[in-house]
Amino acid sequence: MGAPAKIEMRGLSIDYVNEDQGTRHQAVDGLDLDIYAHEFLCVVGPSGCGKSTLISAISGFLRPTSGTLLMDGVPIRGPGADRGVVFQEYALLPWKTVLDNVGLGLKLRGMPKAERNQTARRYLKLTNLEAAEAKYPYELSGGMKQRAAVARTLANQPQIMLMDEPFAAVDAQTRMTLQEELLRICASTKVTVLFVTHSVEEAVFLADRVAVLSPGPGRLREVLTVNIPRANRSWNQLNNDPDYVAIRDRVLALVRTH
Ligand code: ADP
């Protein structure tokens, strides 16, 4: 890709160590992978291959056991506002309105209310939630909750958005809509995205590149480029696109090889 990597992983290994029981479990093994600025990278692999572990390490919540993990050339040593995480569980505060949930990170950073609400409304518009700003999380559908979680993450203007199976809990139709919307949102914000999923279709639909991991401990099997313009992908168009079908089948074969 030519441009410098936003995130650089070299020989990255991550073990879970249980001091009490004297056990060690290797979750990620010797990963060499870059995430470039403005790209949408999907990491796909079976359950337990280390996808969430990777997100935790890049978020700064988990220290690598060995190898290098850099952001803009600097080792990641802890959490920071330059990385925003969207989890499968919506993680919205039930006692706050959608507007206040989306503005929460800005509030914690000391942004005055008027400016905070203005920024939050910009991201609510981007995620088609303008009409829901006064609602509480219990009044929202699963899809709306996840849109609010994306809006909250983006309102903090992170350099990279880390997404851990964010659409796994919604129904199939809503999931397809959210995937299409996410591509539109990413095209307008240009945010860099690392998206992990066990769904091959989802990974290939969303990504500029798909990194396939082996079953745990996660090792990099292959990285494939999806040469289909990202901003205007839709399920209607891609389902029958020979390029999409070819890459999807290739990734499926890689995921299913043991
Ligand atoms: P994925 O997200 O791909 O399903 P995870 O990153 O959650 O995989 O887990 C990778 C491996 O590490 C699995 O074998 C899992 O059981 C193990 N693991 C995850 N979290 C912990 C933990 N806190 N302590 C010990 N082992 C863990």
Side-chain angles (χ1 to χ4, degrees):
M1 273 208 166
K6 169 72 43 198
I7 301 282
E8 201 176 322
M9 301 168 235
R10 289 289 172 277
L12 180 70
S13 293
I14 305 165
D15 297 354
Y16 288 100
V17 181
N18 186 322
E19 304 277 358
D20 294 340
Q21 294 175 6
T23 56
R24 174 178 285 267
H25 179 86
Q26 188 171 32
V28 172
D29 183 13
L31 214 58
D32 291 321
L33 185 61
D34 288 335
I35 306 172
Y36 297 105
H38 312 303
E39 89 162 324
F40 198 123
L41 180 80
C42 280
V43 170
V44 68
S47 189
C49 76
K51 302 184 295 297
S52 297
T53 301
L54 206 54
I55 297 255
S56 301
I58 298 173
S59 316
F61 291 109
L62 199 60
R63 280 289 181 92
T65 308
S66 60
T68 311
L69 176 57
L70 309 177
M71 177 159 179
D72 293 325
V74 179
I76 291 174
R77 298 207 190 282
D82 52 1
R83 286 148 286 149
V85 191
V86 181
F87 298 101
Q88 181 181 332
E89 323 77 59
Y90 315 110
L92 299 171
L93 299 179
W95 61 89
K96 285 192 178 289
T97 63
V98 168
L99 183 68
D100 287 346
N101 264 292
V102 172
L104 189 63
L106 305 172
K107 184 178 184 180
L108 295 175
R109 272 155 56 190
M111 188 183 278
K113 188 166 185 179
E115 192 186 342
R116 191 166 80 223
N117 285 348
Q118 196 184 16
T119 306
R121 287 195 174 105
R122 204 164 69 233
Y123 287 94
L124 286 173
K125 183 160 189 239
L126 191 68
T127 50
N128 283 330
L129 275 179
E130 282 164 301
E133 71 163 59
K135 291 191 187 298
Y136 287 86
Y138 76 89
E139 299 177 277
L140 307 181
S141 67
M144 290 166 90
K145 283 183 195 164
Q146 208 48 296
R147 283 193 189 98
V150 169
R152 187 179 63 185
T153 300
L154 288 176
N156 295 322
Q157 293 175 309
Q159 303 240 344
I160 182 166
M161 179 158 65
L162 307 165
M163 307 187 80
D164 191 351
E165 302 258 6
F167 306 147
V170 298
D171 64 80
Q173 271 68 42
T174 304
R175 186 169 182 159
M176 289 163 99
T177 306
L178 290 174
Q179 290 160 347
E180 290 175 343
E181 285 183 3
L182 180 61
L183 288 186
R184 182 181 50 74
I185 290 164
C186 290
S188 76
T189 60
K190 305 254 188 308
V191 66
T192 306
V193 181
L194 168 63
F195 188 110
V196 310
T197 177
H198 64 267
S199 162
V200 170
E201 286 82 4
E202 180 169 69
V204 177
F205 178 78
L206 291 171
D208 293 312
R209 294 187 306 145
V210 180
V212 182
L213 296 190
S214 66
R219 299 190 184 98
L220 189 61
R221 209 152 237 180
E222 201 167 319
V223 183
L224 296 96
T225 301
V226 184
N227 272 322
I228 303 169
R230 173 156 54 97
N232 42 27
R233 290 180 199 170
S234 70
W235 275 112
N236 280 346
Q237 167 227 338
L238 239 64
N239 250 338
N240 302 311
D241 183 310
D243 289 336
Y244 167 78
V245 171
I247 299 172
R248 182 199 63 195
D249 290 351
R250 173 95 187 98
V251 175
L252 263 177
L254 282 165
V255 167
R256 301 193 70 194
T257 312
H258 288 274

